[in-house]
Amino acid sequence: MTDQSKLIDRIRKEVEKKTTPKRYQHIQGVVQSAVWLAKKYGANEQSAEIAALLHDYAKNDSRQTLNHFIKDHNLQLDPILQHAHQLIHGKVAAVMAERDFGITDQEILLAIESHTTGRPGMSKLEQIIYLADFIEPERDYAAVHHLRKLAEEDLEKAVFTALNNTMIYVLRTKKLLHPSTLECRNQMLMENPSLAEI
Ligand SMILES: [Fe+2]
Ligand SMILES: [Fe+2]
């Protein structure tokens, strides 16, 4: 067993302990989709597995636990993150990944952090984790089949569509829209205008 696969094994056990069975099932689905996407689009498969395993590491933590962690680690939250509790767990999980498993690979840490909001200039690995979260096999919502089909065809088109879907959902449900989601979506479209031709 290589050091890397030992680490992945240890992470998997800790994630299972720290999350609810339902959440862990979702995480396993994200791992499956992320490794598939990494293979398909030429990203590092082990990095994809680690980021996918840890992306929701803080999702089942109580609001109080998250608030303590943010205070203890002096994490700076922008105004939207301060208000939108459901978006904080990515940022917290990235810091926990370094603390609990010594992960220092910035691409992995960014992929964990940005999965809740997207980020302008997302790397391929970030895009893969962002998308895998939406298309993993446990997901069941109206647009998922279309998104899975796009994921088969073109990573960027699928990510762009997932960002658009998220924004539509956030506006429709009158939740706070994080500016990174909009900036990420706009930047992708400016760099690749053909994305609008879906
Ligand atoms: Fe999440
Ligand atoms: Fe997730």
Side-chain angles (χ1 to χ4, degrees):
M1 218 184 199
T2 63
D3 285 354
Q4 190 83 336
S5 51
K6 267 187 219 159
L7 172 67
I8 290 175
D9 230 43
R10 185 159 75 86
I11 294 172
R12 191 176 291 117
K13 285 192 185 106
E14 292 303 317
V15 169
E16 190 173 9
K17 263 192 251 170
K18 200 173 177 313
T19 53
T20 61
K22 194 165 178 273
R23 178 63 42 191
Y24 185 61
Q25 207 174 347
H26 158 69
I27 289 168
Q28 284 178 302
V30 177
V31 168
Q32 192 184 323
S33 295
V35 170
W36 171 70
L37 289 168
K39 214 175 272 179
K40 190 171 174 59
Y41 293 108
N44 186 304
E45 289 170 40
Q46 288 189 318
S47 296
E49 185 166 7
I50 291 171
L53 275 172
L54 287 168
H55 84 285
D56 275 347
Y57 191 57
K59 180 86 174 184
N60 289 129
D61 288 350
S62 67
R63 189 177 286 240
Q64 199 184 21
T65 304
L66 290 176
N67 287 341
H68 278 306
F69 188 89
I70 288 158
K71 216 170 155 215
D72 288 349
H73 291 76
N74 202 17
L75 297 189
Q76 302 302 313
L77 300 182
D78 60 57
I80 305 298
L81 284 186
Q82 282 172 29
H83 280 87
H85 173 78
Q86 74 278 11
L87 297 177
I88 297 172
H89 68 273
K91 196 178 179 80
V92 169
V95 179
M96 287 179 171
E98 187 166 1
R99 180 196 67 176
D100 293 356
F101 305 105
I103 292 162
T104 52
D105 182 323
Q106 286 308 306
E107 214 193 0
I108 295 178
L109 297 178
L110 268 178
I112 296 169
E113 178 172 345
S114 69
H115 88 271
T116 48
T117 58
R119 187 183 71 86
M122 280 204 286
S123 71
K124 196 189 281 179
L125 185 69
E126 285 179 270
Q127 293 190 15
I128 284 171
I129 299 304
Y130 186 82
L131 179 60
D133 200 18
F134 285 97
I135 63 164
E136 61 96 359
E138 296 289 317
R139 291 281 196 209
D140 186 19
Y141 55 94
V144 76
H145 303 290
H146 177 58
L147 206 53
R148 284 189 186 123
K149 194 170 163 287
L150 283 176
E152 294 265 2
E153 295 164 4
D154 188 313
L155 177 63
E156 261 193 67
K157 275 192 182 174
V159 172
F160 180 70
T161 303
L163 287 161
N164 282 305
N165 290 351
T166 299
M167 286 176 48
I168 290 165
Y169 169 78
V170 165
L171 296 180
R172 195 174 279 155
T173 54
K174 299 185 173 66
K175 293 196 164 98
L176 282 167
L177 173 63
H178 197 281
S180 292
T181 311
L182 175 62
E183 282 167 25
C184 179
R185 180 256 182 208
N186 281 348
Q187 198 194 18
M188 287 184 84
L189 190 55
M190 283 191 282
E191 280 174 12
N192 184 0
S194 74
L195 289 173
E197 292 162 14
I198 293 168

